[in-house]
Amino acid sequence: QVLLQQSGPGLVKPSQTLSLTCVISGDSVSSNTVSWNWIRQSPSGGLQWLGRTYYRSARSQWYHEYESSFKSRIIVNPDIGQNQFSLQLKSVTPEDTAVYYCARHVAWFDFWDQGSLVTVSA
Amino acid sequence: YVVTQPPSVSVAPGQTATIPCGGTDIGTRSVNWYQQKPGQAPTVVIYNSADRPSGIPERFSGSKSKSTATLTISRVEVGDEADYHCQVWHSTSGDFVFGSGTRVTVL
């Protein structure tokens, strides 16, 4: 059973960087068959995929892929030693207020954490 | 790439709920469906357009045509009341795309 546990501040000021970490239990961030993702849910209720990181041994390479509209201000990185991955979202505005989820993707998103509300406000 | 869902569907207990998810050539894509109850993270109820994970009742089924994927819930129960989100992978952009979600209300 995979367990994901997220941590990070619940309040971020506008123009600052939102930083979240997701610790993985029951799997490895270096797994060759899955990817590790960040997804958010706005107050209106829709889910939005933000980005992911994953490793593929065939090329001994880490991949980082981001939703088109976030590419200029998002970083998703693995931390192999701590078996976790992180999200950095720069230059936030109140529109970035949402519940943020970390999730594992196989051919679908099969394990999610419980979600964390991040509010962007002065 | 945009996928569209109606904001709400209402159904009486024991009846059938049909939730559409529209998108260009969605029939050529693998569609996943998630159920989300208040205060909880989403959980998959249908993957690969029509497959059910273990533990999901047979009352939940998925299908698709050229431009619409559909989640069908037969013999609806009060416990099925939730938001349902469709999701696809857009190969051109590499993005995972979610629909806006449909709230199923059991009358």
Side-chain angles (χ1 to χ4, degrees), chain A residues 41 68 101 105 107-109 113, chain B residues 32 34 36 41 47 95-96:
Chain A
Q41 187 165 31
S68 311
Y101 294 98
H105 184 266
W108 60 94
F109 296 102
D113 79 308
Chain B
N32 303 315
Y34 302 87
Q36 186 180 27
Y47 67 94
D95 293 347
F96 294 109

Side-chain angles (χ1 to χ4, degrees), chain A residues 35 37 39 41 44-49 52 65-69 71 101 105 107-110 112-115, chain B residues 30 32 34 36 39-44 46-48 53 83 85 87 89 93-101:
Chain A
S35 67
N37 297 259
I39 296 163
Q41 187 165 31
S44 64
L47 294 166
Q48 185 176 30
W49 176 74
R52 65 174 176 169
E65 296 172 350
Y66 305 121
E67 204 274 349
S68 311
S69 60
K71 277 181 180 172
Y101 294 98
H105 184 266
W108 60 94
F109 296 102
D110 62 347
W112 303 58
D113 79 308
Q114 79 285 355
Chain B
S30 178
N32 303 315
Y34 302 87
Q36 186 180 27
Q40 298 182 16
T43 58
V44 68
I46 293 291
Y47 67 94
N48 195 25
D83 293 333
H85 307 269
Q87 176 258 310
W89 180 61
S93 63
D95 293 347
F96 294 109
V97 180
F98 288 91
S100 52

Side-chain angles (χ1 to χ4, degrees), chain A residues 24-32 34 36 62 80 83-84 104:
Chain A
I24 303 164
S25 301
D27 199 349
S28 169
V29 72
S30 304
S31 169
N32 198 41
V34 304
W36 302 99
W62 283 93
I80 300 168
N83 201 32
Q84 64 188 27
R104 188 181 82 164

Side-chain angles (χ1 to χ4, degrees), chain B residues 20-31:
Chain B
C21 173
T24 303
D25 291 330
I26 200 169
T28 65
R29 305 178 191 277
S30 178
V31 182

